[in-house]
Amino acid sequence: MFENQIKQFLGTMKKMTFPVLEMTCAACAVSVESMLQATAGVTQAAVNYANQSAQVEFDPQVTNPQELRKSVQSIGYDLVIDTEDPQAIQEAAQRKQVEVIQRRTIGSAILSVPIVILGMFYMDLPYGNYIAMALAVPVVFYFGGGFFVHAWKQARFGKANMDTLVALSTGIAFLFSVFNTLFPEYWHNRGLHAHVYYEAAAVVITFISLGKLLEERAKSSTSSAIKKLMGLQPKTVRVIRAGVEKELPIATVTVGDIIVVRPGEKIPVDGQVVSGTSFVDESMISGEPLPVEKRKGDKVFAGTINQKGGFEFEAQKVGADTMLAQIIRMVQQAQGSKAPVQKLVDKIAGIFVPIVIGISILTFGLWMLLGGEQAFTHALLASITVLVIACPCALGLATPTAIMVGVGKGADNNILIKDAESLELANKVNAIILDKTGTITEGRPQVTNIAWLEGLENIDYYKQVLFAIENKSEHPLAEAVATSLKETSNLVVQEFTSITGKGVSARVRAEQYYVGNRLLMEEKGVMGCADLDTLAETLSAQASTVIWFSESRKVLAAISITDKIKASSRSAIETLQKMDIEVYMLTGDNRETAVAVAKQVGVNHFKAQVLPADKAEFVKQLQAAGKTVAMVGDGINDSQALAQADVSIAMGKGSDIAMETAKMTLITSDLQAIPKALHLSTKTVRGIRQNLFWAFIYNVIGIPIAAGILYPFNGFLLDPMIAGAAMALSSVSVVSNSLRLKLAKL
């Protein structure tokens, strides 16, 4: 275990998602999962029945996808390990599966109708039982043959699933009916009628096939978000090679290719414009409705749509490396991940079938002891009905279908959810922490004023020094300063040091310089200036950030930087507060600026001059006070707090490490997406609870009735045919309830 953790830390473990074929119920998913986890080299496996996929983390030095596939094939299922387009293979297999189920349903229905008519209206027809038997053979063993094949494959490994229940119930009913058809005198000699149940066996197969058909069609709707995202990828692309423009499949594009984009076309891969100008609709990535102008040197992204102009760009990220591919992968992984409640459901589903078989045997025994002269007939009928009605499908579909629709709904609203746990937990959030820069503000700081020390000589030289130092820093404020100076400098910067949360220090021509906040100046013992201090206080009160430029002992300038507050910040914060969520603002900026920003956006709780470690510590403090904490940030300095929070949300235009750490990413600058994400969590969790309630209550009520608990009171004994119809409807009702989330308003 410890060795695996080391490998995970070093990044030598591989995590892949594979489509799974041939699964028919939740117990199938448990079987596949257990086989994968038992495979050498696999550290973790999670199988999702709803989207027919398996997420596997394994050591590639010990095993490979082919070994994983063999392990799954041994119990009658299959993994799609094709790396080119596994989704297309799975979709083709699912279409084929739907066609097979459709043919099976229609065929069994056509033959079941005359069997039912014979069994209900012409019971005494000469040779009627032989006719019914002849019609039932193809229904049970051809159209229903798959149930028996899968049940046998499971049984070889000591496992059981829904196919086991169907095979047992219909097989026993059919064989008992054959015995009664061939040897009716066995019962006649005992004064009993030789009942046959061909219609029960046939109709159960028909109803279960119909239920599976409706279920497969409903499940295909839950993954529409993935299909929509995949639809953003063009199939072909125009590439210039050897001076000739060629139309090629997108899979053949390589890094460095020059690609031609015409008006109205989708951009196929990520890259950089080399010639031409246009406006590009990037709403699928940024959430912003206005097209963005693209000129030489600008970045373009796969899936975005070119407007009227035409341009050429160099491919820089292709295939799985593009931003669109990463978004698709994130949505797929989230839809395949398991909510904490699902782990309990999986355990129940894993032991459900053996328990049902036990209940069926117990039912048979009790009827034989207490059933009177019709004991055997009633015992057989009740035990078969228990097997038919107790399908674990509804239970297995309850959580994953709701998660899949919820994740897809989030993607449609510019909310990318990484895993089901965060989606389930977000509805419990009662404290939310917002970073200031890039979250509450636009994150595009601009220098509004540089106030130099009065009487300072050679200001032009100091401008060059300031430019040289800030040009070397990657901080957004440093970039704003360097941009505003519009200088060029040949000065050599030595001993450049970034001081986290405070600023930078550097040496130029043997002189020590500092650029940073008040804390840095105080720490280095830099002498202040009363006039500049007064000006800084005034600017800070107006929500400007003030940074200082100094020599080793003397302040040289105070630089005022303003970061415009987003239009949606105040309304989003008001919405969160109306949801009884405490909103906190943390910033590394000075207190005066923090006070001004907090006042403008209506935040009552804030902390200023906070270092990255302090942000994580503040999250811990809130958690210790019993709060469920969400952290929203966009920078590297937020990553520690994001990792600590119960629910972490990254702004999509932020740093890669913030988006990597966070469990949710907003691909929009609109803060209203935050309350939307929390509303989505509430509605998804409500859907899961409703689904689980109906799945459990169905079995809690249905199994005793099937066993004959009402018979002593009113003589009612549930017919296996009705049980089959009820079982089918339970699965369809759970999926349909999940799909209602698509229509929900966030």
Side-chain angles (χ1 to χ4, degrees):
M1 179 65 73
F2 183 65
E3 183 184 351
N4 288 336
Q5 289 175 339
I6 293 174
K7 288 179 178 179
Q8 286 173 338
F9 178 75
L10 295 175
T12 55
M13 302 300 289
K14 197 169 186 179
K15 192 171 186 178
M16 295 182 71
T17 299
F18 303 99
V20 185
L21 306 180
E22 306 294 331
M23 289 197 299
T24 58
C25 73
C28 296
V30 174
S31 297
V32 174
E33 190 171 294
S34 65
M35 290 301 291
L36 287 170
Q37 287 177 335
T39 305
V42 173
T43 57
Q44 198 173 10
V47 178
N48 188 319
Y49 170 55
N51 70 354
Q52 306 279 293
S53 71
Q55 281 186 23
V56 189
E57 187 173 62
F58 60 95
D59 185 347
Q61 295 178 344
V62 178
T63 191
N64 56 57
Q66 192 61 49
E67 292 297 320
L68 300 176
R69 186 182 190 189
K70 286 179 183 176
S71 177
V72 170
Q73 285 176 331
S74 68
I75 55 169
Y77 306 102
D78 200 3
L79 282 187
V80 178
I81 60 174
D82 181 272
T83 54
E84 281 296 317
D85 196 353
Q87 201 72 27
I89 293 174
Q90 185 187 33
E91 284 183 8
Q94 285 175 337
R95 282 195 299 271
K96 185 178 178 182
Q97 176 76 354
V98 169
E99 289 171 6
V100 169
I101 296 172
Q102 187 168 300
R103 285 198 300 271
R104 192 167 72 196
T105 305
I106 294 170
S108 58
I110 290 171
L111 293 177
S112 294
V113 170
I115 298 174
V116 171
I117 293 171
L118 282 170
M120 295 183 72
F121 303 108
Y122 299 97
M123 291 174 285
D124 299 322
L125 183 75
Y127 302 106
N129 286 351
Y130 286 94
I131 296 170
M133 180 174 69
L135 292 171
V137 167
V139 175
V140 175
F141 297 108
Y142 178 70
F143 296 118
F147 297 118
F148 293 91
V149 172
H150 287 136
W152 168 246
K153 287 180 178 178
Q154 291 284 308
R156 284 168 52 209
F157 288 87
K159 299 180 183 297
N161 63 2
M162 185 201 78
D163 295 327
T164 308
L165 298 181
V166 176
L168 279 174
S169 59
T170 56
I172 291 169
F174 180 82
L175 291 175
F176 179 67
S177 300
V178 169
F179 178 85
N180 288 357
T181 300
L182 299 177
F183 307 104
E185 64 277 1
Y186 177 85
W187 300 106
H188 295 162
N189 293 338
R190 290 164 175 77
L192 298 172
H193 185 71
H195 291 285
V196 294
Y197 298 100
Y198 293 121
E199 75 280 2
V203 174
V204 164
I205 295 286
T206 302
F207 272 135
I208 290 174
S209 298
L210 177 61
K212 293 303 297 177
L213 180 63
L214 296 174
E215 182 186 304
E216 288 296 327
R217 287 180 173 173
K219 279 197 303 183
S220 67
S221 300
T222 63
S223 59
S224 60
I226 291 285
K227 293 174 182 175
K228 195 183 294 182
L229 286 169
M230 288 184 166
L232 295 171
Q233 296 175 307
K235 302 297 182 188
T236 60
V237 59
R238 293 185 182 84
V239 180
I240 297 176
R241 289 182 180 170
V244 179
E245 183 179 315
K246 302 177 180 178
E247 187 166 344
L248 301 172
I250 192 168
T252 64
V253 176
T254 59
V255 173
D257 277 341
I258 302 300
I259 296 169
V260 179
V261 181
R262 294 177 181 172
E265 291 184 340
K266 293 172 184 172
I267 293 168
V269 296
D270 294 0
Q272 188 172 32
V273 177
V274 294
S275 67
T277 61
S278 185
F279 284 84
V280 174
D281 178 359
E282 293 186 343
S283 57
M284 57 77 57
I285 287 177
S286 67
E288 307 297 337
L290 295 177
V292 180
E293 186 176 9
K294 298 293 179 181
R295 297 177 178 273
K296 184 177 179 180
D298 289 340
K299 300 281 186 182
V300 290
F301 302 98
T304 57
I305 303 170
N306 184 32
Q307 301 287 291
K308 294 182 179 179
F311 59 89
E312 297 175 3
F313 73 96
E314 180 185 348
Q316 294 180 333
K317 290 183 179 179
V318 301
D321 295 328
T322 66
M323 183 179 287
L324 177 60
Q326 289 170 13
I327 290 172
I328 291 171
R329 191 158 57 248
M330 191 184 294
V331 174
Q332 283 176 325
Q333 288 176 353
Q335 288 190 330
S337 64
K338 291 188 177 182
V341 68
Q342 180 65 18
K343 294 169 186 175
L344 173 63
V345 174
D346 283 348
K347 287 180 182 177
I348 294 170
I351 61 172
F352 187 83
V353 174
I355 288 173
V356 168
I357 293 172
I359 292 172
S360 177
I361 293 169
L362 179 63
T363 299
F364 185 88
L366 288 173
W367 271 104
M368 288 298 293
L369 287 172
L370 308 171
E373 70 176 50
Q374 295 290 334
F376 184 81
T377 301
H378 287 163
L380 186 68
L381 192 67
S383 59
I384 287 172
T385 307
V386 167
L387 292 173
V388 171
I389 203 167
C391 172
C393 286
L395 196 61
L397 288 167
T399 300
T401 51
I403 292 293
M404 285 177 68
V405 176
V407 169
K409 181 79 173 178
D412 289 341
N413 285 273
N414 300 312
I415 304 162
L416 288 181
I417 299 161
K418 275 191 181 178
D419 64 28
E421 185 174 0
S422 61
L423 183 59
E424 184 182 335
L425 190 60
N427 79 105
K428 298 177 183 177
V429 167
N430 51 20
I432 191 161
I433 299 171
L434 303 176
D435 174 51
K436 178 177 76 71
T437 305
T439 302
I440 291 176
T441 64
E442 290 186 348
R444 292 194 291 268
Q446 294 179 326
V447 173
T448 53
N449 184 34
I450 300 180
W452 294 94
L453 183 66
E454 190 173 349
L456 184 66
E457 296 179 358
N458 205 5
I459 289 178
D460 288 341
Y461 170 72
Y462 286 119
K463 283 183 178 180
Q464 289 186 38
V465 173
L466 179 59
F467 174 82
I469 295 171
E470 294 292 73
N471 199 44
K472 200 170 181 68
S473 174
E474 295 180 355
H475 197 283
L477 297 184
E479 185 181 343
V481 173
T483 302
S484 71
L485 289 169
K486 298 177 182 176
E487 294 282 338
T488 56
S489 176
N490 296 321
L491 295 173
V492 177
V493 177
Q494 298 173 320
E495 300 175 22
F496 180 90
T497 305
S498 177
I499 304 165
T500 304
K502 296 174 184 176
V504 299
S505 67
R507 190 173 290 276
V508 178
R509 290 184 180 176
E511 179 64 50
Q512 186 69 40
Y513 293 95
Y514 302 107
V515 184
N517 58 20
R518 175 84 68 182
L519 282 174
L520 180 63
M521 299 298 115
E522 292 173 356
E523 186 180 285
K524 300 300 180 182
V526 174
M527 189 183 301
C529 165
D531 291 342
L532 289 181
D533 287 345
T534 303
L535 176 63
E537 288 175 10
T538 303
L539 292 169
S540 295
Q542 297 169 355
S544 290
T545 299
V546 177
I547 62 172
W548 302 86
F549 173 43
S550 76
E551 290 179 331
S552 57
R553 293 294 172 197
K554 180 176 70 177
V555 165
L556 300 174
I559 305 163
S560 168
I561 301 175
T562 301
D563 189 5
K564 189 177 177 184
I565 294 172
K566 292 176 184 173
S568 62
S569 292
R570 185 175 182 87
S571 60
I573 289 167
E574 285 177 354
T575 303
L576 291 168
Q577 290 167 339
K578 287 176 183 176
M579 294 166 65
D580 292 326
I581 296 172
E582 292 182 5
V583 181
Y584 298 83
M585 182 184 78
L586 299 186
T587 177
D589 217 332
N590 61 70
R591 180 173 174 79
E592 292 81 4
T593 303
V595 169
V597 172
K599 189 175 181 181
Q600 288 184 45
V601 297
V603 172
N604 299 319
H605 312 284
F606 64 89
K607 292 188 77 172
Q609 295 179 314
V610 179
L611 299 176
D614 297 332
K615 291 184 179 182
E617 187 59 37
F618 186 69
V619 173
K620 287 181 185 177
Q621 290 173 13
L622 290 177
Q623 289 171 329
K627 301 286 187 184
T628 302
V629 184
M631 171 70 195
V632 186
D634 74 322
I636 293 173
N637 62 331
D638 299 318
S639 56
Q640 195 174 341
L642 286 168
Q644 177 64 39
D646 299 296
V647 176
S648 46
I649 304 173
M651 305 303 292
K653 293 185 177 179
S655 67
D656 290 342
I657 192 169
M659 287 187 280
E660 185 65 31
T661 306
K663 297 295 177 67
M664 294 186 184
T665 299
L666 308 181
I667 49 175
T668 173
S669 61
D670 187 353
L671 281 195
Q672 284 289 1
I674 298 172
K676 281 185 179 181
L678 303 184
H679 280 307
L680 175 63
S681 171
T682 301
K683 291 178 184 295
T684 303
V685 169
R686 188 184 300 147
I688 290 172
R689 287 172 180 163
Q690 290 169 348
N691 289 348
L692 288 174
F693 171 79
W694 288 114
F696 277 113
I697 205 73
Y698 164 80
N699 284 305
V700 167
I701 295 173
I703 291 175
I705 292 175
I709 198 170
L710 297 178
Y711 188 81
F713 305 103
N714 57 13
F716 178 78
L717 200 59
L718 188 66
D719 192 295
M721 293 186 290
I722 306 300
M727 188 220 73
L729 287 173
S730 69
S731 296
V732 176
S733 65
V734 163
V735 178
S736 301
N737 186 54
S738 296
L739 288 172
R740 288 193 309 121
L741 183 57
K742 282 189 169 187
L743 306 175
K745 187 177 180 182
L746 299 182

